Amino acid sequence: MAMGVQITFDAHDTVKQAEFWALALDYVVQPPPPGFDSWFAFAEKIGVPKEDWDRLNAVVDPAGAGPRVLFQKVPEDKTVKNRVHLDVNVSDGGEGRKELAHAHREKLEAAGATFLREVDEPTGWCIVMADPEGNEFCVQ
């Protein structure tokens, strides 16, 4: 049995990053624990100082199959290229995949992503983008 994995991003704005990546991955922002209408209500109840309420945020696969993606607040800016990136697979690679990827690109640009370049090489094709905080990822 494979081990579960969580993907963690450093972020300035954990709420905005969670909303963006929920859209990018067809995930949902992780719901608060039962009995709470928001994570802020939960944080208040367990005594988290108000200035730390946005310290963490997460998105989850509504089907429960994909990994949880966590966003943790950090003070420093991203300064170099990612050493790891996500490939967002919008199709199974068959016919129409480029059209699907370009449509997803447009949706993500409207949500704050930046188009960086299109790669078309013998080893593969993808659209390289950056999320609202500059983290590179591919759409294919």
Side-chain angles (χ1 to χ4, degrees), residues 9 11 14-15 40 48 50-57 70-74:
F9 282 80
T14 61
V15 173
F40 299 132
V48 174
K50 191 170 187 171
E51 62 269 14
D52 290 336
W53 286 4
D54 65 344
R55 191 174 67 80
L56 298 171
N57 212 315
L70 178 72
F71 304 91
Q72 61 184 5
K73 191 170 192 165
V74 298

Side-chain angles (χ1 to χ4, degrees), residues 29-84:
V29 174
Q30 185 174 5
F36 294 92
D37 61 352
S38 72
W39 281 102
F40 299 132
F42 175 74
E44 183 176 38
K45 176 73 174 178
I46 65 170
V48 174
K50 191 170 187 171
E51 62 269 14
D52 290 336
W53 286 4
D54 65 344
R55 191 174 67 80
L56 298 171
N57 212 315
V59 297
V60 294
D61 177 353
R68 179 177 188 244
V69 182
L70 178 72
F71 304 91
Q72 61 184 5
K73 191 170 192 165
V74 298
E76 67 273 2
D77 290 331
K78 179 184 173 292
T79 57
V80 297
K81 183 182 182 301
N82 301 8
R83 294 288 304 252
V84 174

